[in-house]
Amino acid sequence: MGTQQVSAPLRAPSSGIVHINIRLTDGYSIISNRLSQHRDLSLLAIGLSTHIQSLPAGKRIGIKVLAEIFPESEAAIAAGLRELEQHGFLRRTRERVRGGRVATRTESYNHPEAATRRAHPAPVREPEAEPAPEPEPEAEPAPEPEVEPVPEEPGPAPRLVPPPTAPRPPRSPLPGPCRPTEALYAAAADLLAGLRRTAPVFVLSEEDVRRLVPGVAAWLERGMRPDAVREALTDDPPVPLRHPAKLLRHRLIALLPPPLSVAAPVIPLQNCEDCDRAFRSPVAGVCRGCGEARTDGGEPFRLSA
């Protein structure tokens, strides 16, 4: 391993900053002076861009993620990110990924002007040629018939992406069973607590299990087997999985199966008290014919012995 070298000016200035620099061999990032000395950016925005440019490609960032790392509030971080977007150091877009989810793609630029020139190169001007001699006048050709232009098909409508500070819609409620029982809730709690046996990334706290039990109970009440519920909730999780309880809540709502169809009740057979014939009715009594005879005051029909 090589010895680190310290570089300092041979003759230190009498005032101002003095740089004591150590030659770095790893763990460093190259930051452009266009960012570090930008006159129109706040120190918060410059610090955010420096942190973002030091992250490896594919690292997830966002307002909430940055607020968990640094002491600034989410509102201050959101304002700093907007500064970087206005000056071209940051670009955020929404893209639809596998599973129908929407993910944010963040692009960080260390030289916005050069990136813009690369994306839109200036046209190359060719040298002007010497003017050719004017040709002799020719007979004017017959005018061509006018052709009506074909209307162009409208392109896809631009996708409007709401800003990060836009108000979010209210969360959908967690489903619950129609006929809750202690046994149903106990089976749902056992299923949630045991998810880490087959999917180690789904480690839940007791509070998470308590909140998610009604949703799992609704699945079990609708005829889903426990192994089928377990597979549907833990299949293909994102990497890394930072909030397993939030992912389970989303899937319990979005993937809820429909309830099983209820079979029509069977009406039992009864024997008529007057004619002893069989008829269907939920309660004992007389058949329709004997009931009409009683209403009209006639004699009920009786079977001969």
Side-chain angles (χ1 to χ4, degrees):
M1 181 175 181
T3 304
Q4 293 181 340
Q5 300 178 1
V6 179
S7 64
L10 299 177
R11 189 174 182 180
S14 58
S15 63
I17 187 170
V18 177
H19 295 282
I20 308 300
N21 296 330
I22 298 176
R23 187 181 299 276
L24 302 177
T25 58
D26 59 356
Y28 65 92
S29 302
I30 299 176
I31 304 299
S32 171
N33 287 344
R34 291 175 175 82
L35 172 64
S36 60
Q37 300 181 10
H38 205 287
R39 296 299 182 88
D40 296 330
L41 288 176
S42 64
L43 289 176
L44 173 62
I46 294 175
L48 283 174
S49 183
T50 302
H51 173 72
I52 293 171
Q53 292 189 22
S54 68
L55 297 177
K59 182 74 173 180
R60 293 180 59 188
I61 65 169
I63 296 176
K64 293 186 179 295
V65 175
L66 294 172
E68 293 177 358
I69 301 174
F70 299 104
E72 283 76 11
S73 64
E74 293 185 8
I77 291 176
L81 294 178
R82 286 196 298 270
E83 284 187 57
L84 296 176
E85 286 183 309
Q86 292 173 359
H87 291 86
F89 287 95
L90 196 70
R91 182 171 180 265
R92 292 179 292 179
T93 57
R94 295 287 185 92
E95 295 182 355
R96 190 170 297 278
V97 297
R98 184 178 58 180
R101 297 181 293 108
V102 177
T104 300
R105 173 185 174 89
T106 305
E107 297 177 350
S108 176
Y109 298 88
N110 63 349
H111 196 321
E113 296 81 2
T116 303
R117 291 196 298 268
R118 181 179 298 179
H120 305 284
V124 179
R125 297 184 59 183
E126 299 181 356
E128 297 181 358
E130 296 182 359
E134 296 182 0
E136 297 181 359
E138 298 180 357
E140 296 183 358
E144 297 181 358
E146 297 183 358
V147 179
E148 296 183 358
V150 179
E152 297 181 357
E153 296 182 359
R159 184 176 58 182
L160 302 178
V161 180
T165 56
R168 297 184 178 181
R171 293 173 36 169
S172 302
L174 189 70
C178 297
R179 298 178 180 85
T181 61
E182 293 184 3
L184 188 62
Y185 273 59
D190 292 341
L191 188 149
L192 287 168
L195 289 180
R196 58 186 177 183
R197 296 192 184 99
T198 56
V201 295
F202 286 88
V203 178
L204 303 176
S205 65
E206 291 186 1
E207 182 65 19
D208 293 334
V209 173
R210 185 186 65 80
R211 292 178 179 178
L212 297 175
V213 156
V216 177
W219 283 52
L220 297 176
E221 185 185 51
R222 299 190 178 200
M224 292 290 293
R225 300 189 313 273
D227 55 343
V229 177
R230 189 179 300 107
E231 181 179 359
L233 295 181
T234 61
D235 179 56
D236 193 20
V239 179
L241 179 58
R242 300 185 183 276
H243 304 286
K246 291 183 179 180
L247 177 63
L248 292 176
R249 187 183 189 279
H250 168 73
R251 291 185 173 182
L252 285 172
I253 299 173
L255 305 179
L256 179 66
L260 295 175
S261 58
V262 180
V266 179
I267 302 177
L269 288 172
Q270 308 286 349
N271 289 334
C272 179
E273 295 176 354
D274 291 345
C275 66
D276 202 32
R277 288 180 176 176
F279 68 99
R280 293 192 179 273
S281 174
V283 295
V286 296
C287 63
R288 179 183 298 179
C290 294
E292 293 176 354
R294 287 184 178 186
T295 303
D296 297 337
E299 291 292 332
F301 177 77
R302 298 183 181 274
L303 296 176
S304 58

